[in-house]
Amino acid sequence: MSVHLRVVRKPRPSQRPADAPRPADAPRPADAQPASFDLLCGLHARNPAAERRLLDAYARLVERLLFRILGDVRSLEDLVQDVFARVFSRIDDVREPEALKPFITSVAVFVAREAIRKRRRHRWLAFFASDELPEIAASVDPEARQGVRAFYRALEVLDPDERLAFTLRFVEGQELADVAAACDVSVATVKRRLQRAELAFVERCKKDDVLSTWLAEGDRWT
């Protein structure tokens, strides 16, 4: 597990679950191809076939975003459905095909923010139970699994908006302008949120038995 900031040291490739945090410059799963004008017209017409095409093209993107922001698969299916329900209800706001992917991303970010705030209101902690990890992570050694759990526990101390900026930038690997667009704020605001998030995240890592070791082995805060 690692993040772009070298908050934690990158382990051997065999130790990383497929959906664990990864640096921004790591190879990334292929995203959906740019939407076509025909697809957008079909969506505006509430064509069921067009809606199925959208789901096929973008469901993986939405799942990945939600998982990397929340680190929790327990309610992932319901959240994905919520994202697309909102996308379909507001699809008329999208006038150009190239705006479709950013729009879906922003809706997913908004849904994730709501989930974080709800969890904080109820004082829930995002622990992974062994049967809630992705199947592909089951064969990963216990040390790496422990690291993923510790990473997302550390994220729990962040303000929801700062956590969104942090995970989009350093886990999902988005450019600053894309993070700003997804969060519907300016780039300057994103930079301020990232700065605060880094400080809070590092302080939390120092108090964690797992992450403190990786942090000490890094080369940015030592």
Side-chain angles (χ1 to χ4, degrees), residues 121-156:
R121 284 197 301 269
H122 291 276
R123 302 191 178 193
W124 294 342
L125 293 177
F127 290 107
F128 284 115
S130 59
D131 60 349
E132 292 165 347
L133 286 165
E135 291 182 7
I136 194 168
S139 61
V140 178
D141 66 61
E143 182 180 357
R145 290 160 64 90
Q146 187 181 22
V148 173
R149 292 187 180 98
F151 175 84
Y152 281 102
R153 286 199 301 269
L155 290 183
E156 288 294 322

Short mmCIF file of all heavy atoms in Angstrom, two decimals, residues 121-156:
data_model
loop_
_atom_site.label_atom_id
_atom_site.label_comp_id
_atom_site.label_asym_id
_atom_site.label_seq_id
_atom_site.Cartn_x
_atom_site.Cartn_y
_atom_site.Cartn_z
N ARG A 121 -21.66 11.18 11.87
CA ARG A 121 -22.75 11.56 12.77
C ARG A 121 -23.10 10.42 13.72
O ARG A 121 -23.45 10.63 14.88
CB ARG A 121 -24.00 11.96 11.98
CG ARG A 121 -23.92 13.34 11.36
CD ARG A 121 -25.31 13.83 10.96
NE ARG A 121 -25.96 12.94 10.02
CZ ARG A 121 -25.87 13.06 8.70
NH1 ARG A 121 -25.11 14.01 8.17
NH2 ARG A 121 -26.52 12.23 7.90
N HIS A 122 -23.01 9.20 13.20
CA HIS A 122 -23.33 8.03 14.01
C HIS A 122 -22.10 7.44 14.69
O HIS A 122 -22.17 6.39 15.32
CB HIS A 122 -24.01 6.96 13.15
CG HIS A 122 -25.38 7.36 12.69
ND1 HIS A 122 -26.50 7.19 13.46
CD2 HIS A 122 -25.81 7.94 11.54
CE1 HIS A 122 -27.57 7.63 12.81
NE2 HIS A 122 -27.17 8.09 11.64
N ARG A 123 -20.97 8.13 14.50
CA ARG A 123 -19.71 7.71 15.12
C ARG A 123 -19.35 6.29 14.76
O ARG A 123 -18.94 5.49 15.61
CB ARG A 123 -19.78 7.88 16.65
CG ARG A 123 -20.09 9.31 17.05
CD ARG A 123 -19.89 9.52 18.52
NE ARG A 123 -20.14 10.92 18.86
CZ ARG A 123 -19.82 11.48 20.02
NH1 ARG A 123 -19.22 10.77 20.95
NH2 ARG A 123 -20.08 12.75 20.25
N TRP A 124 -19.50 5.97 13.48
CA TRP A 124 -19.10 4.66 13.00
C TRP A 124 -17.64 4.73 12.58
O TRP A 124 -17.16 5.76 12.13
CB TRP A 124 -19.93 4.23 11.80
CG TRP A 124 -21.37 4.01 12.14
CD1 TRP A 124 -21.90 3.81 13.37
CD2 TRP A 124 -22.47 3.98 11.22
NE1 TRP A 124 -23.25 3.66 13.28
CE2 TRP A 124 -23.63 3.77 11.98
CE3 TRP A 124 -22.57 4.12 9.83
CZ2 TRP A 124 -24.88 3.66 11.41
CZ3 TRP A 124 -23.81 4.02 9.26
CH2 TRP A 124 -24.96 3.79 10.03
N LEU A 125 -16.95 3.61 12.68
CA LEU A 125 -15.58 3.49 12.20
C LEU A 125 -15.57 2.52 11.03
O LEU A 125 -16.25 1.50 11.05
CB LEU A 125 -14.64 2.98 13.30
CG LEU A 125 -14.43 3.95 14.46
CD1 LEU A 125 -13.54 3.29 15.51
CD2 LEU A 125 -13.79 5.24 13.98
N ALA A 126 -14.77 2.83 10.01
CA ALA A 126 -14.76 2.01 8.79
C ALA A 126 -13.77 0.87 8.92
O ALA A 126 -12.73 0.85 8.28
CB ALA A 126 -14.42 2.88 7.58
N PHE A 127 -14.08 -0.11 9.77
CA PHE A 127 -13.23 -1.29 9.86
C PHE A 127 -13.67 -2.30 8.82
O PHE A 127 -14.85 -2.47 8.55
CB PHE A 127 -13.33 -1.92 11.26
CG PHE A 127 -12.71 -1.10 12.33
CD1 PHE A 127 -13.50 -0.42 13.24
CD2 PHE A 127 -11.33 -0.98 12.42
CE1 PHE A 127 -12.93 0.34 14.24
CE2 PHE A 127 -10.76 -0.21 13.42
CZ PHE A 127 -11.55 0.45 14.32
N PHE A 128 -12.68 -3.03 8.27
CA PHE A 128 -12.98 -4.12 7.36
C PHE A 128 -13.16 -5.40 8.17
O PHE A 128 -12.28 -5.77 8.93
CB PHE A 128 -11.81 -4.37 6.40
CG PHE A 128 -11.70 -3.37 5.30
CD1 PHE A 128 -10.62 -2.53 5.21
CD2 PHE A 128 -12.69 -3.29 4.33
CE1 PHE A 128 -10.50 -1.64 4.19
CE2 PHE A 128 -12.57 -2.40 3.30
CZ PHE A 128 -11.48 -1.56 3.22
N ALA A 129 -14.27 -6.06 8.01
CA ALA A 129 -14.38 -7.43 8.50
C ALA A 129 -13.78 -8.34 7.45
O ALA A 129 -13.72 -8.01 6.28
CB ALA A 129 -15.86 -7.79 8.75
N SER A 130 -13.35 -9.51 7.87
CA SER A 130 -12.64 -10.38 6.94
C SER A 130 -13.50 -10.76 5.75
O SER A 130 -12.99 -10.97 4.65
CB SER A 130 -12.17 -11.65 7.66
OG SER A 130 -13.29 -12.34 8.21
N ASP A 131 -14.81 -10.87 5.95
CA ASP A 131 -15.68 -11.26 4.84
C ASP A 131 -16.16 -10.07 4.04
O ASP A 131 -16.97 -10.20 3.14
CB ASP A 131 -16.88 -12.05 5.37
CG ASP A 131 -17.73 -11.24 6.34
OD1 ASP A 131 -17.26 -10.16 6.77
OD2 ASP A 131 -18.83 -11.70 6.67
N GLU A 132 -15.65 -8.86 4.33
CA GLU A 132 -16.06 -7.67 3.61
C GLU A 132 -14.97 -7.14 2.70
O GLU A 132 -15.16 -6.17 2.01
CB GLU A 132 -16.48 -6.57 4.61
CG GLU A 132 -17.76 -6.93 5.34
CD GLU A 132 -17.98 -6.07 6.57
OE1 GLU A 132 -17.03 -5.37 6.98
OE2 GLU A 132 -19.08 -6.10 7.11
N LEU A 133 -13.80 -7.78 2.72
CA LEU A 133 -12.74 -7.37 1.82
C LEU A 133 -13.02 -7.90 0.42
O LEU A 133 -13.67 -8.93 0.26
CB LEU A 133 -11.40 -7.92 2.31
CG LEU A 133 -10.82 -7.22 3.54
CD1 LEU A 133 -9.71 -8.09 4.13
CD2 LEU A 133 -10.28 -5.86 3.19
N PRO A 134 -12.52 -7.24 -0.62
CA PRO A 134 -12.69 -7.76 -1.97
C PRO A 134 -12.10 -9.17 -2.06
O PRO A 134 -11.09 -9.47 -1.42
CB PRO A 134 -11.89 -6.77 -2.83
CG PRO A 134 -11.81 -5.53 -2.00
CD PRO A 134 -11.78 -5.98 -0.58
N GLU A 135 -12.70 -10.02 -2.87
CA GLU A 135 -12.23 -11.39 -2.98
C GLU A 135 -10.77 -11.47 -3.38
O GLU A 135 -10.03 -12.32 -2.91
CB GLU A 135 -13.08 -12.16 -4.00
CG GLU A 135 -14.51 -12.40 -3.54
CD GLU A 135 -15.28 -13.21 -4.56
OE1 GLU A 135 -14.65 -13.66 -5.53
OE2 GLU A 135 -16.49 -13.37 -4.37
N ILE A 136 -10.33 -10.55 -4.22
CA ILE A 136 -8.96 -10.61 -4.71
C ILE A 136 -7.97 -10.36 -3.59
O ILE A 136 -6.81 -10.75 -3.68
CB ILE A 136 -8.74 -9.59 -5.84
CG1 ILE A 136 -7.44 -9.87 -6.58
CG2 ILE A 136 -8.77 -8.16 -5.31
CD1 ILE A 136 -7.30 -9.11 -7.87
N ALA A 137 -8.42 -9.71 -2.50
CA ALA A 137 -7.52 -9.41 -1.39
C ALA A 137 -7.37 -10.59 -0.44
O ALA A 137 -6.53 -10.57 0.43
CB ALA A 137 -8.04 -8.20 -0.62
N ALA A 138 -8.18 -11.63 -0.61
CA ALA A 138 -8.15 -12.74 0.33
C ALA A 138 -6.82 -13.49 0.30
O ALA A 138 -6.40 -14.06 1.30
CB ALA A 138 -9.29 -13.71 0.01
N SER A 139 -6.13 -13.48 -0.83
CA SER A 139 -4.87 -14.20 -0.95
C SER A 139 -3.67 -13.34 -0.59
O SER A 139 -2.54 -13.81 -0.60
CB SER A 139 -4.71 -14.72 -2.38
OG SER A 139 -4.69 -13.64 -3.30
N VAL A 140 -3.91 -12.07 -0.27
CA VAL A 140 -2.81 -11.17 0.07
C VAL A 140 -2.39 -11.43 1.51
O VAL A 140 -3.20 -11.76 2.36
CB VAL A 140 -3.27 -9.70 -0.09
CG1 VAL A 140 -2.16 -8.74 0.32
CG2 VAL A 140 -3.68 -9.45 -1.53
N ASP A 141 -1.09 -11.26 1.79
CA ASP A 141 -0.62 -11.61 3.12
C ASP A 141 -1.22 -10.69 4.18
O ASP A 141 -1.62 -9.56 3.90
CB ASP A 141 0.91 -11.59 3.17
CG ASP A 141 1.47 -10.19 2.98
OD1 ASP A 141 1.17 -9.33 3.80
OD2 ASP A 141 2.22 -9.98 2.01
N PRO A 142 -1.30 -11.16 5.42
CA PRO A 142 -1.96 -10.41 6.49
C PRO A 142 -1.37 -9.04 6.73
O PRO A 142 -2.09 -8.11 7.10
CB PRO A 142 -1.77 -11.32 7.71
CG PRO A 142 -1.61 -12.70 7.14
CD PRO A 142 -0.87 -12.50 5.85
N GLU A 143 -0.07 -8.86 6.52
CA GLU A 143 0.56 -7.57 6.76
C GLU A 143 -0.02 -6.49 5.83
O GLU A 143 -0.30 -5.37 6.26
CB GLU A 143 2.06 -7.66 6.56
CG GLU A 143 2.79 -6.35 6.83
CD GLU A 143 4.28 -6.47 6.62
OE1 GLU A 143 4.76 -7.59 6.32
OE2 GLU A 143 4.98 -5.44 6.74
N ALA A 144 -0.20 -6.85 4.56
CA ALA A 144 -0.75 -5.88 3.62
C ALA A 144 -2.21 -5.57 3.94
O ALA A 144 -2.64 -4.42 3.86
CB ALA A 144 -0.63 -6.41 2.19
N ARG A 145 -2.97 -6.57 4.32
CA ARG A 145 -4.37 -6.36 4.68
C ARG A 145 -4.46 -5.46 5.90
O ARG A 145 -5.31 -4.56 5.98
CB ARG A 145 -5.05 -7.70 4.95
CG ARG A 145 -5.26 -8.55 3.71
CD ARG A 145 -5.49 -10.01 4.06
NE ARG A 145 -6.70 -10.20 4.83
CZ ARG A 145 -7.89 -10.45 4.30
NH1 ARG A 145 -8.03 -10.48 3.00
NH2 ARG A 145 -8.93 -10.66 5.06
N GLN A 146 -3.57 -5.67 6.86
CA GLN A 146 -3.53 -4.83 8.05
C GLN A 146 -3.20 -3.39 7.69
O GLN A 146 -3.74 -2.45 8.27
CB GLN A 146 -2.50 -5.39 9.03
CG GLN A 146 -2.49 -4.69 10.38
CD GLN A 146 -1.45 -5.25 11.31
OE1 GLN A 146 -0.47 -5.87 10.87
NE2 GLN A 146 -1.64 -5.07 12.61
N GLY A 147 -2.31 -3.22 6.71
CA GLY A 147 -1.95 -1.88 6.27
C GLY A 147 -3.11 -1.14 5.65
O GLY A 147 -3.29 0.06 5.89
N VAL A 148 -3.92 -1.83 4.85
CA VAL A 148 -5.08 -1.21 4.23
C VAL A 148 -6.08 -0.77 5.30
O VAL A 148 -6.63 0.34 5.25
CB VAL A 148 -5.75 -2.17 3.22
CG1 VAL A 148 -7.05 -1.57 2.70
CG2 VAL A 148 -4.80 -2.46 2.07
N ARG A 149 -6.31 -1.65 6.28
CA ARG A 149 -7.22 -1.28 7.36
C ARG A 149 -6.72 -0.04 8.10
O ARG A 149 -7.48 0.88 8.41
CB ARG A 149 -7.36 -2.45 8.34
CG ARG A 149 -8.08 -3.68 7.78
CD ARG A 149 -8.30 -4.69 8.89
NE ARG A 149 -8.98 -5.88 8.39
CZ ARG A 149 -8.36 -7.00 8.07
NH1 ARG A 149 -7.04 -7.08 8.17
NH2 ARG A 149 -9.05 -8.03 7.63
N ALA A 150 -5.42 -0.04 8.39
CA ALA A 150 -4.84 1.08 9.13
C ALA A 150 -4.94 2.37 8.33
O ALA A 150 -5.20 3.45 8.89
CB ALA A 150 -3.38 0.77 9.47
N PHE A 151 -4.74 2.28 7.02
CA PHE A 151 -4.82 3.46 6.16
C PHE A 151 -6.19 4.12 6.26
O PHE A 151 -6.31 5.33 6.45
CB PHE A 151 -4.51 3.07 4.72
CG PHE A 151 -4.67 4.19 3.73
CD1 PHE A 151 -3.65 5.09 3.51
CD2 PHE A 151 -5.85 4.35 3.02
CE1 PHE A 151 -3.78 6.13 2.60
CE2 PHE A 151 -6.00 5.39 2.11
CZ PHE A 151 -4.96 6.27 1.90
N TYR A 152 -7.24 3.30 6.15
CA TYR A 152 -8.58 3.87 6.18
C TYR A 152 -9.01 4.29 7.58
O TYR A 152 -9.82 5.21 7.72
CB TYR A 152 -9.58 2.90 5.54
CG TYR A 152 -9.50 2.96 4.04
CD1 TYR A 152 -8.83 1.98 3.31
CD2 TYR A 152 -10.04 4.03 3.34
CE1 TYR A 152 -8.72 2.06 1.94
CE2 TYR A 152 -9.93 4.12 1.97
CZ TYR A 152 -9.27 3.13 1.27
OH TYR A 152 -9.15 3.22 -0.10
N ARG A 153 -8.47 3.66 8.60
CA ARG A 153 -8.72 4.17 9.95
C ARG A 153 -8.12 5.56 10.10
O ARG A 153 -8.71 6.44 10.73
CB ARG A 153 -8.14 3.23 11.01
CG ARG A 153 -8.92 1.95 11.22
CD ARG A 153 -8.59 1.31 12.56
NE ARG A 153 -7.17 1.00 12.69
CZ ARG A 153 -6.64 -0.17 12.36
NH1 ARG A 153 -7.41 -1.12 11.83
NH2 ARG A 153 -5.36 -0.39 12.52
N ALA A 154 -6.94 5.77 9.52
CA ALA A 154 -6.29 7.08 9.59
C ALA A 154 -7.11 8.13 8.87
O ALA A 154 -7.18 9.29 9.30
CB ALA A 154 -4.88 7.00 9.02
N LEU A 155 -7.74 7.76 7.77
CA LEU A 155 -8.56 8.72 7.03
C LEU A 155 -9.77 9.19 7.83
O LEU A 155 -10.32 10.27 7.56
CB LEU A 155 -9.03 8.11 5.71
CG LEU A 155 -7.98 7.86 4.62
CD1 LEU A 155 -8.66 7.32 3.37
CD2 LEU A 155 -7.22 9.13 4.29
N GLU A 156 -10.19 8.40 8.82
CA GLU A 156 -11.38 8.75 9.58
C GLU A 156 -11.21 10.05 10.36
O GLU A 156 -12.20 10.66 10.75
CB GLU A 156 -11.74 7.62 10.55
CG GLU A 156 -12.31 6.38 9.89
CD GLU A 156 -13.66 6.63 9.24
OE1 GLU A 156 -14.46 7.39 9.81
OE2 GLU A 156 -13.90 6.08 8.16
#
